[in-house]
């Protein structure tokens, strides 16, 4: 069963503030005209307002649109309530993002009641136990891919089942890019091999998909996936930590970028240390005002743990940009992770030992009194930048 | 929506039967607001202190208020008035 909250952030805001119910609102990353809409309400969508639109464009479509800033603690609280509700039906609940989850009912008592009945009950309980304005679309099928496809068939407040009996009929009404995992690039690849519709995709042989279209085992996975076999029940261990920021004011000034980089490194470092890792690799990426993109990675000879260590490496990389252009989006990540328990600081490296212990003490204080209680001097007066955001993807850290 | 962040006086109802807690009257800037609905209530950890956050509304005004469980003080976090 795939459950997708309808217009999650906007709906949660309308749940919290009854005066906003039934009227077009949108949650935007920033309330200014250049801010990006991240969640239009169901009412706003009727006016053509979409995720990713600039506030300026959205206001052009609907002048009276109410724009709200995001409130991540509220969305995380709602997400945890949903997860607790879903877990009353099955222990196998996989959050796919802040507003989507998959429930596997294999070997559960709930499956004996019929999943359509269970889905109806989940919808009712969400309204009764979490909020009367909250709605979701639910899809049921034999694998995650088809369950998600079913959940997307009718929005908002849909409930659809895909079985072998209606599979062909469902595929007939979809385009290739309606299939989860098929973007424009994959669509082009499929079309280049004569596959123009989901029905063509379904009719293609496993051999052809494997050898000619995807040129890898992915082809066989798609063959199985389209038919309702589960191939996506795979969990991946953590490989990196990262932070990114879409700049308010685009700049190419290294001093200003350094401040942002420091704050990103501080946030990234805290998450890494909380999970008890250190890293060897550092990676930065920049999106520029002219639409181009640059990135660079480097593996360090020494272990990276403190914010300063990450910052120094990241800034060195940043200075290696081939051209000085105004940056619109900056991201830093660390990779090649190792658990803290697997090593000891070199015996005579007292300076580093002191730095690491200081970092741990600062983390401890920030955990006790609130994030950014103690901060690097470089990021003073940056309260409004690189602020708390909800990730669009993995929410695993909510449970770590 | 206006960010306020000022301490306020609150009359709260605890209902043992429904197991609900509801701010009933909020006094801010010498004006009393009678709350008729709770939109959402959740807990948030800020450092070591647990806060209870209530999103509440009267017929024309929405307020987000927080209770600091350490100091037991209430704060008006943000306000939305349909009159403006």
């Amino acid at each position: 069963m795939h459950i997708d909250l309808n217009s999650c952030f906007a709906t949660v805001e309308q749940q919290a503030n009854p005066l906003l119910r039934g009227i077009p609102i949108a949650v935007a990353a920033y309330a200014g005209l250049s801010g990006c809409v991240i969640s239009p309400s169901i009412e706003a969508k009727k006016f053509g307002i979409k995720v990713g639109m600039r506030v300026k464009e959205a206001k052009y479509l609907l002048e009276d649109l109410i724009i709200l800033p995001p409130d991540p603690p509220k969305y995380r609280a709602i997400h945890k309530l949903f997860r607790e509700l879903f877990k009353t039906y099955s222990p196998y609940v996989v959050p796919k993002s802040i507003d989507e989850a998959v429930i596997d009912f294999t070997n559960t008592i709930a499956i004996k009641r019929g999943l359509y009945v269970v889905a109806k009950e989940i919808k009712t309980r969400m309204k009764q136990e979490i909020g009367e304005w909250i709605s979701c679309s639910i899809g049921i099928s034999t694998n995650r891919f088809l369950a998600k496809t079913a959940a997307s068939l009718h929005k908002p407040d849909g409930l659809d089942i895909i079985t072998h009996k209606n599979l062909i009929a469902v595929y007939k009404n979809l385009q290739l890019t309606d299939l989860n995992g098929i973007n424009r690039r994959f669509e082009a690849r499929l079309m280049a091999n004569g596959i123009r519709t989901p029905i063509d995709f379904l009719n293609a042989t496993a051999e052809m998909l494997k050898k000619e279209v995807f040129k890898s085992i992915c082809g066989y996975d798609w063959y199985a996936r389209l038919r309702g076999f589960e191939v996506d029940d795979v969990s991946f261990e953590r490989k990196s930590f990262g932070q990114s920021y879409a700049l308010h004011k685009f700049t190419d000034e290294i001093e200003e970028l350094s401040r942002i980089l420091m704050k990103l490194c501080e946030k990234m470092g805290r998450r890494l240390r909380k999970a008890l890792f250190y890293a060897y690799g550092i990676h930065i990426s920049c999106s520029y005002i002219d639409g181009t993109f640059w990135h660079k990675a480097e593996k360090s000879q020494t272990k990276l743990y403190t914010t300063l260590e990450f910052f120094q490496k990241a800034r060195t990389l940043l200075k290696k940009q081939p051209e000085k252009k105004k940056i619109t989006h900056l991201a830093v990540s660390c990779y090649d992770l190792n658990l803290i328990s697997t090593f000891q600081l070199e015996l005579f490296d007292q300076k580093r030992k002191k730095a690491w212990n200081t970092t741990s003490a600062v983390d401890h204080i920030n955990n006790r009194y609130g994030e950014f209680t103690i901060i690097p001097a470089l990021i003073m007066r940056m309260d409004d930048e690189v602020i708390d955001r909800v990730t669009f993807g993995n929410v695993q850290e909510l449970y770590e | 929506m206006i960010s306020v962040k000022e301490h306020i006086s609150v009359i709260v109802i605890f209902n043992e039967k429904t197991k609900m807690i509801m701010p009933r009257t909020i006094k801010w800037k010498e004006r009393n607001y009678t709350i008729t609905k709770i939109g959402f209530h959740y807990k948030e950890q800020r450092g070591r202190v647990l806060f209870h956050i209530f999103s509440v509304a009267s017929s024309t005004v929405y307020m987000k208020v927080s209770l600091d469980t350490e100091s037991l003080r209430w704060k008006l976090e943000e306000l939305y008035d349909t009159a403006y």
Side-chain angles (χ1 to χ4, degrees):
Chain A
M1 184 182 289
H2 184 101
I3 302 172
D4 182 353
L5 303 188
N6 301 132
S7 300
C8 181
F9 296 175
T11 301
V12 170
E13 294 296 343
Q14 289 173 317
Q15 171 62 44
N17 182 352
L19 304 176
L20 294 177
R21 294 179 190 179
I23 61 178
I25 70 162
V27 177
Y30 299 97
L33 290 175
S34 61
C36 180
V37 172
I38 54 177
S39 178
S41 68
I42 293 166
E43 300 82 8
K45 284 178 180 174
K46 291 177 184 167
F47 288 88
I49 293 161
K50 294 183 189 332
V51 174
M53 221 176 227
R54 295 284 165 199
V55 168
K56 187 178 171 182
E57 293 172 281
K59 284 277 197 180
Y60 181 74
L61 288 173
L62 180 62
E63 201 179 332
D64 293 335
L65 180 71
I66 294 173
I67 301 293
L68 299 173
D71 187 357
K74 197 189 298 168
Y75 312 143
R76 291 188 189 111
I78 283 270
H79 173 87
K80 286 183 179 172
L81 287 174
F82 290 139
R83 192 162 183 257
E84 282 162 22
L85 192 159
F86 299 155
K87 284 196 116 144
T88 63
Y89 293 95
S90 165
Y92 312 115
V93 175
V94 178
K96 302 304 285 180
S97 68
I98 197 79
D99 64 347
E100 289 181 56
V102 169
I103 309 178
D104 186 344
F105 287 89
T106 308
N107 297 324
T108 62
I109 296 171
I111 204 167
K112 292 179 184 173
R113 296 169 51 205
L115 292 187
Y116 187 82
V117 168
V118 169
K120 293 286 256 183
E121 189 176 286
I122 286 175
K123 280 174 173 276
T124 303
R125 285 185 64 191
M126 275 171 61
K127 288 193 180 293
Q128 287 173 349
E129 296 174 31
I130 298 171
E132 67 272 20
W133 198 253
I134 306 291
S135 67
C136 65
S137 292
I138 298 182
I140 299 168
S141 192
T142 55
N143 69 2
R144 294 174 191 211
F145 166 75
L146 286 178
K148 186 169 165 76
T149 305
S152 66
L153 291 177
H154 294 100
K155 286 189 172 189
D157 203 21
L159 172 51
D160 288 274
I161 304 177
I162 296 179
T163 67
H164 64 282
K165 292 180 183 173
N166 65 346
L167 181 68
I168 308 268
V170 167
Y171 281 154
K172 272 186 180 168
N173 286 324
L174 298 177
Q175 297 178 11
L176 286 172
T177 48
D178 291 329
L179 303 177
N180 183 44
I182 300 296
N183 55 19
R184 291 270 174 228
R185 196 163 52 89
F186 278 126
E187 184 193 37
R189 193 193 286 199
L190 289 166
M191 287 197 164
N193 286 275
I195 297 171
R196 301 189 175 282
T197 67
I199 292 289
D200 292 342
F201 202 0
L202 183 70
N203 291 333
T205 63
E207 203 65 18
M208 182 225 183
L209 291 176
K210 192 172 149 189
K211 286 192 174 166
E212 292 171 41
V213 181
F214 292 96
K215 297 183 170 58
S216 73
I217 193 71
C218 288
Y220 181 76
D221 286 346
W222 270 108
Y223 181 85
R225 190 180 286 126
L226 288 165
R227 283 160 176 73
F229 293 98
E230 186 62 83
V231 295
D232 296 311
D233 187 12
V234 181
S235 59
F236 299 96
E237 60 182 34
R238 166 75 77 170
K239 287 196 165 79
S240 67
F241 287 86
Q243 289 286 152
S244 66
Y245 178 57
L247 277 68
H248 269 305
K249 289 190 306 185
F250 308 150
T251 181
D252 56 8
E253 295 301 324
I254 203 74
E255 203 177 288
E256 184 56 32
L257 291 169
S258 293
R259 298 178 72 224
I260 295 169
L261 198 60
M262 175 65 93
K263 196 163 183 182
L264 290 172
C265 289
E266 169 66 9
K267 293 184 77 150
M268 177 187 73
R270 268 176 60 73
R271 289 166 51 220
L272 169 97
R273 293 186 293 268
K274 186 181 172 190
L276 303 176
F277 284 106
Y278 63 92
Y280 279 104
I282 189 88
H283 172 265
I284 68 159
S285 67
C286 307
S287 300
Y288 297 105
I289 201 168
D290 62 1
T292 56
F293 177 81
W294 173 84
H295 71 111
K296 192 150 183 72
E298 194 173 276
K299 223 164 162 183
S300 169
Q301 300 287 336
T302 54
K303 299 168 186 65
L304 304 174
Y305 182 75
T306 69
T307 297
L308 187 59
E309 285 167 350
F310 285 118
F311 171 70
Q312 285 171 337
K313 292 283 181 193
R315 190 168 60 169
T316 303
L317 286 182
L318 187 65
K319 286 180 176 173
K320 290 180 180 176
Q321 291 174 79
E323 282 180 77
K324 197 179 178 192
K325 291 190 279 190
K326 287 196 173 173
I327 292 174
T328 60
H329 190 271
L330 182 63
V332 64
S333 61
C334 57
Y335 61 95
D336 198 349
L337 307 179
N338 294 269
L339 282 170
I340 291 281
S341 58
T342 62
F343 104 100
Q344 288 182 322
L345 271 167
E346 290 80 12
L347 190 61
F348 296 109
D349 195 347
Q350 291 301 317
K351 190 178 169 187
R352 173 166 275 197
K353 193 174 177 183
K354 200 171 167 183
W356 284 39
N357 286 343
T358 304
T359 294
S360 297
V362 168
D363 280 346
H364 192 71
I365 292 168
N366 285 332
N367 290 341
R368 189 170 168 86
Y369 296 105
E371 199 171 20
F372 298 119
T373 297
I374 295 185
I375 55 171
L378 194 60
I379 61 171
M380 279 172 65
R381 290 186 291 276
M382 281 186 76
D383 293 347
D384 293 334
E385 291 175 84
V386 196
I387 53 181
D388 188 16
R389 285 282 177 262
V390 173
T391 172
F392 271 88
N394 196 321
V395 289
Q396 190 57 35
E397 281 177 56
L398 286 180
Y399 312 106
E400 285 170 353
Chain B
M1 199 76 71
I2 308 165
S3 177
V4 178
K5 297 198 190 306
E6 291 177 16
H7 285 110
I8 51 176
S9 297
V10 182
I11 296 173
V12 182
I13 294 178
F14 295 86
N15 188 321
E16 177 55 27
K17 275 189 183 168
T18 59
K19 303 265 188 290
M20 279 191 63
I21 164 177
M22 177 165 166
R24 190 73 174 132
T25 308
I26 292 172
K27 185 173 181 179
W28 178 58
K29 287 198 183 316
E30 302 308 319
R31 195 175 153 187
N32 288 328
Y33 297 86
T34 299
I35 301 304
T36 53
K37 192 162 179 59
I38 287 189
F40 190 54
H41 161 227
Y42 63 100
K43 291 174 274 192
E44 184 186 340
Q45 196 77 31
R46 295 176 187 171
R48 68 171 188 175
V49 180
L50 180 67
F51 284 77
H52 281 260
I53 316 294
F54 296 85
S55 295
V56 298
S58 66
S59 56
T60 56
V61 175
Y62 157 81
M63 292 177 165
K64 180 177 168 186
V65 298
S66 63
L67 171 64
D68 179 329
T69 58
E70 189 164 283
S71 65
L72 294 182
R73 292 183 79 184
W74 289 84
K75 187 181 272 190
L76 175 60
E77 303 269 354
E78 58 188 40
L79 176 128
Y80 172 81
D81 192 336
T82 53
Y84 297 103

